[in-house]
Amino acid sequence: MKNNTRQMVQIALLSAISIIFFAFAFRVLPGIPLKVDLSDYPVLIAAYTMGPIPGLMVALIKNIMHVLFLSSDGTFVGEMVNFVFAVLLMYPVSKIKTHDSKKNFIILFTGLLIALIGIHLFNYYVSFPMYGMANEESLKMLLTVFLPFNIVKGSILYLVFILSRPYLDRIHQ
């Protein structure tokens, strides 16, 4: 990562936008208490325009700021999960270098599958034990609540990214 002023300002600006998006969460699936927010979208922008390290920095800064200013539970587990999911979603976006729609769809679809597997393993082995959940209970919750939620959240984020990519290409050049 180049440590130039422009890139640091872009990381700071995208982090600030991400924090604002964190505050505007909304429900997308009835009966599921989890809310979707678009705070990972600036992470995707940073990864696409500047690379994976700036994307990682935006994800880290937004979650640190969330812990300091918006978090109410005091456990930091939610922010840790959000950081891992953002990084898992961000990495494939940072590897898109072509304008071939079919190839980009395959990259994003594969990235979503890897992110789903990765976040579910992380939840099962790290975050759920931190909440004191039993393995039988957590497996059921992963499949019935978290899997549909993460599919919807990842798909929404990738759709917003795909729709905005032509504008990002014009800005990035």
Side-chain angles (χ1 to χ4, degrees):
M1 177 174 100
K2 289 182 180 179
N3 284 327
N4 60 29
T5 306
R6 179 184 173 119
Q7 195 169 52
M8 288 190 294
V9 169
Q10 288 174 333
I11 290 170
L13 181 62
L14 288 170
S15 298
I17 292 168
S18 187
I19 294 163
I20 293 168
F21 282 167
F22 231 143
F24 295 102
F26 56 94
R27 291 195 200 309
V28 292
L29 296 172
I32 294 180
L34 301 171
K35 293 181 180 180
V36 171
D37 60 71
L38 295 177
S39 67
D40 294 331
Y41 176 63
V43 175
L44 299 179
I45 292 173
Y48 180 68
T49 58
M50 295 180 280
I53 300 298
L56 185 104
M57 295 296 293
V58 172
L60 183 64
I61 292 168
K62 80 168 175 119
N63 280 291
I64 290 171
M65 291 295 119
H66 189 266
V67 165
L68 295 175
F69 298 111
L70 298 173
S71 183
S72 60
D73 69 355
T75 63
F76 314 121
V77 177
E79 288 80 8
M80 194 170 42
V81 172
N82 184 281
F83 174 76
V84 170
F85 192 61
V87 170
L88 289 170
L89 283 177
M90 172 265 316
Y91 190 73
V93 169
S94 71
K95 298 303 173 192
I96 293 178
K97 302 294 183 221
T98 179
H99 289 284
D100 181 8
S101 297
K102 186 177 178 181
K103 188 181 275 188
N104 290 341
F105 177 79
I106 291 169
I107 290 170
L108 292 178
F109 183 77
T110 305
L112 183 59
L113 287 177
I114 291 169
L116 290 171
I117 292 167
I119 198 62
H120 284 80
L121 289 172
F122 185 81
N123 278 331
Y124 188 77
Y125 291 109
V126 179
S127 68
F128 286 177
M130 291 176 90
Y131 280 122
M133 294 178 67
N135 286 346
E136 307 82 37
E137 180 185 339
S138 61
L139 187 58
K140 180 182 176 200
M141 188 175 283
L142 276 174
L143 296 175
T144 60
V145 176
F146 285 87
L147 182 62
F149 172 78
N150 287 328
I151 289 171
V152 170
K153 182 177 180 179
S155 299
I156 288 171
L157 287 166
Y158 278 167
L159 179 64
V160 171
F161 171 74
I162 289 168
L163 293 174
S164 63
R165 184 168 175 232
Y167 301 104
L168 296 173
D169 286 340
R170 279 190 240 142
I171 293 169
H172 185 258
Q173 292 178 359

